[in-house]
Amino acid sequence: MALVYGVSLSSSHGWGSGLTIGSLATAAVLGAAFVQMQRVCRSPLVLLAILRRPGLARGNITILLLQGSYIAWQFVATLCLQNAHGWSPLEVGLIFAPGGFLTLLTAQRWAGQVM
């Protein structure tokens, strides 16, 4: 949350703002604390050793980029439909709903498929 807050503040306050830098620094400290806690915990949420495997590391980076770009696209498309075309938030939500329902219905079927 601190990372998202810091990045979103940069547009209105600038990258050099104390609030932006503080939020990003907080995100870095919290991220480092999370990694350290996962290293010493007996039953971690994330097994850091899996990131040493090249295939898994590439897969995680790929999914991160794909999901990040999709979420960014959905955000920009939402703004465009609401601001440029005058759609209501409900209309925009309904137009994106079929994709969510399709994912809900097909995720279990395709989860175990190897490409």
Side-chain angles (χ1 to χ4, degrees), residues 48-95:
L48 298 175
I50 67 168
L51 298 177
R52 289 188 208 119
R53 296 176 64 188
L56 284 174
R58 285 191 303 271
N60 283 322
I61 290 169
T62 301
I63 290 299
L64 177 72
L65 292 173
L66 286 173
Q67 282 299 108
S69 63
Y70 174 73
I71 290 169
W73 170 83
Q74 196 169 26
F75 177 73
V76 171
T78 299
L79 289 178
C80 178
L81 291 173
Q82 287 181 349
N83 296 335
H85 297 287
W87 290 22
S88 73
L90 178 63
E91 290 171 320
V92 175
L94 290 174
I95 201 71

Side-chain angles (χ1 to χ4, degrees), residues 2-3 21-35:
L3 177 64
I21 292 171
S23 297
L24 296 175
T26 301
V29 167
L30 290 173
F34 175 78
V35 169

